[in-house]
């Protein structure tokens, strides 16, 4: 658990960097045998690509630089619960362990409830088991979002 928190803090720091770069505040990293092997940040704004989520960017790097066996042994740490697109990318790449900070449900209260599906709900339908841990370090993960998202429009 302490190791999970240490790596998750690094993912949250990557989210801060993404925000500082003008992107949405999300970060992710891949850990193999207790060592960070890859990191990624959200680049949706700077790449003008709505699929450039931190986890999706990280999976792309992983499949280019790691073997399938290495990917299967990795743990993906992410500052926020992954969306459905990222869950699919992780699963098809072979990642079988995910640890996240802020829940999608809490994020939805800030950023809006677009396509809100808990990652556990998606992973539990898969043929292969994916271990999901989270939410963890919620206050720290939430802090990077404070003041970023516009307030919801009253209806």
């Amino acid at each position: 658990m302490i190791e999970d928190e240490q790596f998750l803090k690094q993912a949250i720091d990557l989210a801060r960097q993404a925000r500082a770069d003008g992107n949405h505040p999300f970060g992710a990293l891949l850990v193999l045998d207790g060592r960070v092997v890859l990191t990624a940040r959200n680049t949706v704004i700077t790449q003008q690509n709505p699929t450039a989520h931190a986890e999706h960017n990280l999976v792309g790097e992983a499949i280019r630089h790691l073997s399938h066996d290495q990917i299967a042994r990795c743990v993906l740490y992410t500052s926020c619960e992954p969306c459905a697109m990222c869950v699919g990318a992780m699963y098809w790449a072979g990642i079988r362990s995910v640890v996240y900070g802020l829940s999608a449900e809490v994020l939805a209260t800030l950023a809006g409830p677009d396509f809100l599906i808990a990652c556990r709900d998606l992973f539990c339908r898969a043929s292969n088991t994916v271990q999901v841990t989270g939410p963890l370090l919620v206050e720290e993960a939430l802090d990077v979002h404070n003041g970023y998202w516009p307030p919801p429009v009253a209806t």
Side-chain angles (χ1 to χ4, degrees), residues 1 26 28 32 34 38 55 63-64 72 76-77 83 119 134 139 153:
M1 184 77 139
F26 302 100
L32 176 62
L38 293 169
E55 302 91 340
I63 60 177
R64 285 189 288 279
L76 189 148
Y77 290 86
C83 74
C119 70
E139 292 303 316
V153 177

Side-chain angles (χ1 to χ4, degrees), residues 72-138:
R73 294 186 354 249
C74 283
V75 179
L76 189 148
Y77 290 86
T78 179
S79 61
C80 188
E81 183 173 5
C83 74
M85 174 188 69
C86 293
V87 164
M90 287 179 223
Y91 184 80
W92 293 117
I95 294 168
R96 297 297 179 255
S97 186
V98 177
V99 178
Y100 68 88
L102 191 66
S103 73
E105 186 176 29
V106 171
L107 178 65
T109 66
L110 301 170
D114 287 345
F115 208 50
L116 176 62
I117 302 172
C119 70
R120 279 184 178 87
D121 292 347
L122 293 169
F123 282 132
C124 78
R125 296 173 179 262
S127 297
N128 295 298
T129 301
V130 178
Q131 180 181 342
V132 178
T133 304
L136 297 174
L137 302 178
V138 174

Side-chain angles (χ1 to χ4, degrees), residues 15-26 42-46 102 107 109-112 141-152:
R16 280 190 189 88
Q17 292 171 28
R19 182 176 176 171
D21 290 343
N23 289 293
H24 300 152
F26 302 100
N42 179 290
T43 56
V44 165
I45 304 297
T46 55
L102 191 66
L107 178 65
T109 66
L110 301 170
L142 181 60
D143 185 58
V144 72
H145 293 270
N146 284 335
Y148 180 81
W149 303 101

